[in-house]
Amino acid sequence: MKFVLSVLFGCIFLQGFSQNYYDILNLTYTNTLPNDFETSNAQTTVEELGLEFNFPIIINEKTVLLTGLFANRTQLALDANRPGSNLNVMGMNFGVNKIINEKWSATYMVFAKLAADKITLSKADLQLALLSLFTNKKRDDLKYRYGVYANTEKYGVIVVPIFGLYYVSSNKKFEADLNLPIVGDINYKIGEKLWLGMKFDGLGTTYNLNDQNYSVDGAYVSKISNEIVTYLRFQLSKSIYLNTKIGYAISRNYDVYDANDKINLALGPIYFGDHRTRLNERFKDGAIFKIELLYRFHFD
C-alpha cells in the first residue's frame, strides 16, 4: 500500500496547494541481492513488480475526483528450504480533493484491495483502507499536511497519524515532499533533465495465505520493510521520467502468523497487545535496486 500512497500524496494539486504535476502511470520493478536467512544456509531474493494507474476527474475549480487502479506482485521464499511464494495485490481507490479556502484543502480516499498468495474473491483476501489528509498553504512554496491513514490489516486495525510538508525552492531546483512516517522524498535538480534524490518508504502490509501448510487455521504474511534509497531521475520526454534507485531495506521481514493470531491495535510502528508467534524463519536486511517509470501530467 505504501507504493499507492506515495503517488496519491502528490495528488493535491489545484491552485498551488502542492506540486504542479500529477502522476498518471507508475511502473516499478524491484530486485535484491541474495539475502541470507538468519539461522540456516539458505538464501532468497525479493523481486517485485508494481503498476498503478491514476485518473483525476475535474468537477469544477474546487473539486476533483481521484480514481485509480493498482496491482503488485512480490516473489520470494517465505522460509528457508521451501519453495518460493508469490504475494499479490489487486485494488482500486476512489476519493475527492476539495479546496476549502485560500489556505486549506482536504483529500478523502477509500482503498479496496485483495492481497494474497493466490487471490480469490473472498473476505479473507479483502482489505479496506481510509485516508484523510488536510493541506495548509503557508506560502506558494511551502505547504503543511496533517492527516490519518487506517487499514484493516490481517493482524487487525492499523492507524497512522500523518505529518508532512511540501517545499520547493525559489529557483525550482530543490524539492521536499514529506508525509511521515509513511513516505518522504527530497531531490535536487543537477542538470536540465536530471535530478538527484533520496526517498524513504516505511509502511508495511499484509497478505492472506490461501496455499500454505503453516497452520490448519490458516495463515497470513506481515511485511515490514523500511527502505531508504538514493536515486537519479532522468526526464526522457516532456511527460516520461525514469528513476534508477539503489538503497537498503532496514528491519525487513516477511513474518508468517496463524490467521487467528492478532494484535489489539497498531498505531503507526507501535503494536499494542502483540503476543503473536512467528511461524517462519526471517531473512536478513540487504540492498535493494529499483527502476521506476513515470508518466507525469504537468499543469503548467
Side-chain angles (χ1 to χ4, degrees):
M1 184 62 74
K2 65 185 179 183
F3 171 74
V4 180
L5 291 176
S6 65
V7 176
L8 286 174
F9 279 131
C11 294
I12 311 153
F13 51 83
L14 291 181
Q15 293 186 357
F17 275 94
S18 191
Q19 300 97 318
N20 62 346
Y21 56 81
Y22 188 92
D23 289 337
I24 300 293
L25 185 67
N26 190 313
L27 178 63
T28 302
Y29 174 76
T30 304
N31 209 333
T32 72
L33 296 173
N35 304 282
D36 295 327
F37 280 87
E38 290 185 341
T39 59
S40 68
N41 294 324
Q43 293 181 319
T44 182
T45 58
V46 181
E47 186 176 17
E48 184 175 318
L49 183 64
L51 174 66
E52 182 175 4
F53 175 73
N54 291 296
F55 186 74
I57 303 172
I58 299 177
I59 303 302
N60 53 50
E61 63 180 9
K62 291 187 176 181
T63 306
V64 177
L65 297 182
L66 305 173
T67 64
L69 302 171
F70 55 91
N72 184 281
R73 166 169 284 195
T74 303
Q75 295 179 310
L76 78 163
L78 293 173
D79 220 330
N81 303 315
R82 289 199 183 193
S85 298
N86 293 323
L87 302 178
N88 304 294
V89 172
M90 294 179 59
M92 61 186 298
N93 51 266
F94 180 80
V96 60
N97 173 237
K98 181 73 174 180
I99 292 179
I100 302 172
N101 54 43
E102 293 182 356
K103 295 294 183 181
W104 287 92
S105 70
T107 300
Y108 307 99
M109 299 292 303
V110 177
F111 305 88
K113 70 174 181 178
L114 298 170
D117 56 345
K118 292 184 178 180
I119 290 180
T120 62
L121 298 177
S122 67
K123 183 179 178 181
D125 293 354
L126 179 63
Q127 297 181 29
L128 297 175
L130 300 173
L131 172 68
S132 178
L133 194 68
F134 295 88
T135 300
N136 178 223
K137 178 182 177 182
K138 292 298 184 181
R139 304 189 306 264
D140 287 340
D141 60 352
L142 178 63
K143 293 91 183 174
Y144 293 107
R145 301 184 185 128
Y146 313 93
V148 62
Y149 167 80
N151 190 38
T152 57
E153 300 284 0
K154 297 302 298 178
Y155 52 68
V157 175
I158 181 173
V159 179
V160 185
I162 300 167
F163 303 95
L165 67 84
Y166 178 79
Y167 170 76
V168 60
S169 62
S170 57
N171 62 6
K172 308 298 182 182
K173 289 189 174 183
F174 176 78
E175 181 185 50
D177 189 6
L178 308 177
N179 295 283
L180 302 176
I182 298 176
V183 294
D185 189 323
I186 59 174
N187 60 79
Y188 187 83
K189 190 172 184 179
I190 58 177
E192 182 180 355
K193 296 184 178 182
L194 180 64
W195 290 259
L196 174 66
M198 178 175 291
K199 187 170 184 178
F200 167 78
D201 285 321
L203 185 66
T205 189
T206 55
Y207 306 84
N208 185 46
L209 291 180
N210 290 307
D211 185 12
Q212 57 85 32
N213 55 9
Y214 287 100
S215 171
V216 296
D217 296 322
Y220 66 90
V221 176
S222 177
K223 172 193 173 183
I224 296 176
S225 183
N226 298 301
E227 299 173 358
I228 300 176
V229 300
T230 59
Y231 65 85
L232 287 173
R233 174 178 297 157
F234 303 88
Q235 185 175 6
L236 305 181
S237 68
K238 180 181 179 181
S239 300
I240 299 177
Y241 296 79
L242 179 69
N243 293 333
T244 57
K245 303 179 179 181
I246 182 171
Y248 200 83
I250 303 171
S251 301
R252 177 178 57 193
N253 58 72
Y254 288 78
D255 291 345
V256 177
Y257 297 102
D258 185 282
N260 297 318
D261 216 352
K262 310 287 188 178
I263 66 173
N264 294 336
L265 175 70
L267 185 61
I270 304 173
Y271 288 22
F272 296 94
D274 186 4
H275 305 293
R276 296 174 295 171
T277 300
R278 179 165 44 87
L279 303 179
N280 65 326
E281 180 187 351
R282 288 178 175 173
F283 55 87
K284 298 178 181 179
D285 300 342
I288 54 175
F289 310 93
K290 293 190 176 189
I291 298 177
E292 185 178 52
L293 188 66
L294 298 173
Y295 180 83
R296 177 168 290 177
F297 179 78
H298 292 269
F299 295 92
D300 53 1

